[in-house]
């Protein structure tokens, strides 16, 4: 945007090279108006969280450049953060989770999805796992969480049964790999030293999950219409796991430990009972059912 060009969207974002722009051009008096128009167009194309994150990054960079004495002004001064809609992500029902496990997908996807649901971990953290971070005998793995802290995720038998097949004989390198050799520019930490394949990216993992779940998310749709439908997001697996735990009576301290949230307020949106739990609640209090008992 500093170069007066629109940011790429969709598939064009992958591997896009930003234009070269001298830092001193940021003091151009005409830039704030141009930047405001480009930011508005960007906001129409992307969600509010993405736009706000990009604005925050730009302002941190500008502040640093100002402290170096390289520029004087701030061309983003008139751009306001976009109000982000509340998180209305809903937990998947138990029958939807069961249908997910029946999908005919690769071993990598089965293992990844099982681990995300059983551990209630964030997808980006799970995809950063390396083989050497795993402790299979304890059904746990060591991850690098937000802020760089070392934390642990725990899984159940479903993941434990799939992991040995996924790892095969590998002893190090990324756990979840792409199907092809890594491009030459891939950082060494994201390349398996034994197979030469790259770490599976969050974006690609999300694309695969969304595409695979389109018919599950739209059960009344015709298969020929699948290209025009939206599937589920990987975050819904974490959301579902925590919600199902809450519905089963898991205590708040345990939910906080499992989700690794810092506050109860952050946990609130996950503890909202889902449709199955509400249905059970109503059925259990049905006077007719009580008379039968």
């Amino acid at each position: 945007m500093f170069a007066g060009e629109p940011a790429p969207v969709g598939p064009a974002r992958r591997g896009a090279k930003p234009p070269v722009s001298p830092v001193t051009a940021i003091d151009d008096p005409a830039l704030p108006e141009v930047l405001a128009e480009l930011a508005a167009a960007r906001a129409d194309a992307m969600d509010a969280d993405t736009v706000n994150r990009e604005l925050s990054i730009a302002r941190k960079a500008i502040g640093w450049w100002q402290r170096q004495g390289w520029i004087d002004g701030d061309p983003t001064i008139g751009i306001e953060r976009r109000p982000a809609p509340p998180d209305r992500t809903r937990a998947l029902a138990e029958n939807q989770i069961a249908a997910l496990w029946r999908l005919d997908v690769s071993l990598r996807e089965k293992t990844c999805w099982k681990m995300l649901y059983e551990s209630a971990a964030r997808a980006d953290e799970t995809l950063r796992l390396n083989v050497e971070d795993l402790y299979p005998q304890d059904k746990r793995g060591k991850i690098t969480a937000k802020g760089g802290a070392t934390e642990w995720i725990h899984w159940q038998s479903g993941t434990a049964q799939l992991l040995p097949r996924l790892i095969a004989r590998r002893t190090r390198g990324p756990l979840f790999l792409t199907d092809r050799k890594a491009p030459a520019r891939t950082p060494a930490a994201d390349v398996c030293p034994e197979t030469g394949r790259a770490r599976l990216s969050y974006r690609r993992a999300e694309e695969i999950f969304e595409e695979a779940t389109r018919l599950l998310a739209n059960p009344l749709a015709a298969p020929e219409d699948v290209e025009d439908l939206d599937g589920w997001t990987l975050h819904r697996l974490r959301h579902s796991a925590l919600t199902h735990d809450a519905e089963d009576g898991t205590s708040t301290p345990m939910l906080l430990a499992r989700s690794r949230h810092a506050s109860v307020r952050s946990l609130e949106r996950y503890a909202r009972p889902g449709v199955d739990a509400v249905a059970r609640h109503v059925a259990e209090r049905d006077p007719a059912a009580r008379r039968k008992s």
Side-chain angles (χ1 to χ4, degrees), residues 30-251:
L31 184 58
E33 184 177 352
V34 173
L35 202 59
E37 292 178 0
L38 286 168
R42 181 71 167 164
D44 291 337
M46 306 298 293
D47 61 88
D49 286 337
T50 297
V51 173
N52 291 338
R53 181 174 64 252
E54 292 175 348
L55 179 60
S56 176
I57 292 170
R59 284 179 170 161
K60 287 180 180 178
I62 288 169
W64 190 82
W65 293 331
Q66 287 174 331
R67 290 192 296 274
Q68 308 312 306
W70 296 345
I71 61 174
D72 296 320
D74 179 357
T76 70
I77 198 69
I79 302 175
E80 296 183 359
R81 290 175 60 85
R82 296 279 167 161
D87 187 342
R88 298 298 186 195
T89 305
R90 292 176 299 169
L92 299 173
E94 292 176 2
N95 66 321
Q96 291 176 309
I97 292 291
L100 179 65
W101 305 147
R102 293 194 295 269
L103 288 179
D104 184 14
V105 295
S106 72
L107 174 62
R108 181 188 65 190
E109 269 61 67
K110 286 181 180 178
T111 309
C112 182
W113 302 349
K114 275 280 187 180
M115 181 178 284
L116 288 174
Y117 179 70
E118 291 184 352
S119 67
R122 298 177 179 89
D124 58 337
E125 296 171 341
T126 301
L127 291 167
R128 288 199 298 269
L129 276 171
N130 290 329
V131 174
E132 58 266 35
D133 297 327
L134 306 180
Y135 292 75
Q137 68 279 10
D138 299 321
K139 297 180 183 176
R140 69 179 65 167
K142 182 171 61 176
I143 62 169
T144 302
K146 290 182 177 179
T150 297
E151 296 181 349
W152 295 86
I153 62 172
H154 306 261
W155 52 80
Q156 298 169 329
S157 298
T159 302
Q161 291 170 2
L162 294 169
L163 272 176
R165 294 167 53 200
L166 179 71
I167 297 170
R169 297 178 180 177
R170 291 186 291 136
T171 58
R172 55 199 178 108
L175 174 60
F176 297 105
L177 299 171
T178 57
D179 297 324
R180 293 178 288 184
K181 295 288 184 179
R185 66 179 183 277
T186 307
D190 292 329
V191 178
C192 174
E194 299 175 21
T195 65
R197 289 150 58 194
R199 185 186 304 277
L200 180 67
S201 70
Y202 180 93
R203 184 175 300 168
R204 181 59 184 146
E206 183 86 310
E207 288 174 352
I208 294 171
F209 187 68
E210 190 274 333
E211 184 176 347
T213 57
R214 287 176 184 174
L215 283 177
L216 293 183
N218 304 273
L220 300 181
E224 57 268 23
D225 297 330
V226 69
E227 294 296 330
D228 300 322
L229 303 176
D230 291 327
W232 298 328
T233 62
L234 287 172
H235 178 70
R236 294 190 70 174
L237 293 175
R238 169 175 164 84
H239 189 108
S240 301
L242 294 173
T243 298
H244 295 163
D245 275 2
E247 292 170 351
D248 290 339
T250 302
S251 67

